[in-house]
């Protein structure tokens, strides 16, 4: 078994009302980045550092940002998210956060603010940290 770390973010746990709607949304969005679901059950699923499970009460909004290797991926993320039931919360474009910050924002089926961001040219030491058991 291999676990990957460092491709998306460290760890985020989202509580959602409709696991199946969220599974459809995240499966589609993560496919843009070439990341499959790592596991799933009736009330939960995960992919790399993202864990999602059912909540019995309404959830609060969460913001998370996915790493995008280039601007084209930001565009593809936005299109895939909208096609999978997400709502636009800021289309692909430059942001004022710092020079080269290119991002897109969508709201997932539970209203969480999801971002894909490319910070400009960079070099990674590895595609991911691979943990084997």
């Amino acid at each position: 078994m291999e676990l990957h770390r460092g491709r998306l973010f460290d760890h985020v746990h989202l509580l959602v009302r409709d696991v199946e709607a969220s599974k459809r949304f995240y499966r589609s969005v993560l496919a843009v980045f070439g990341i499959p679901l790592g596991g799933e059950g009736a009330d939960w699923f995960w992919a790399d550092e993202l864990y999602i499970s059912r909540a019995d009460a309404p959830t609060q909004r969460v913001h998370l940002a996915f790493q995008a290797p280039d601007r084209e991926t930001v565009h593809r993320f936005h299109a895939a998210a909208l096609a999978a039931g997400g709502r636009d919360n800021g289309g692909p474009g430059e942001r004022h956060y710092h020079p080269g910050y290119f991002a897109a924002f969508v709201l997932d089926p539970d209203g969480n603010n999801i971002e894909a961001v490319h910070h400009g040219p960079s070099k990674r030491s590895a595609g991911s940290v691979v943990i084997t058991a």
Side-chain angles (χ1 to χ4, degrees), residues 39-118:
E40 59 185 288
D43 293 320
W44 59 271
F45 64 95
W46 65 272
D48 285 15
E49 299 84 11
L50 177 63
Y51 182 81
I52 296 176
S53 64
R54 187 176 59 79
D56 295 325
T59 63
Q60 295 182 9
R61 247 171 98 145
V62 171
H63 171 84
L64 63 92
F66 294 122
Q67 300 173 27
D70 51 44
R71 289 178 173 214
E72 176 57 31
T73 302
V74 172
H75 283 280
R76 290 188 303 122
F77 156 83
H78 190 254
L82 296 180
R87 295 174 309 199
D88 179 60
N89 200 28
E94 291 274 344
R95 300 300 193 263
H96 68 277
Y97 309 126
H98 67 70
Y101 196 109
F102 189 87
F105 300 84
V106 298
L107 299 177
D108 76 3
D110 284 278
N112 296 301
N113 187 40
I114 311 302
E115 172 186 10
V117 58
H118 174 63

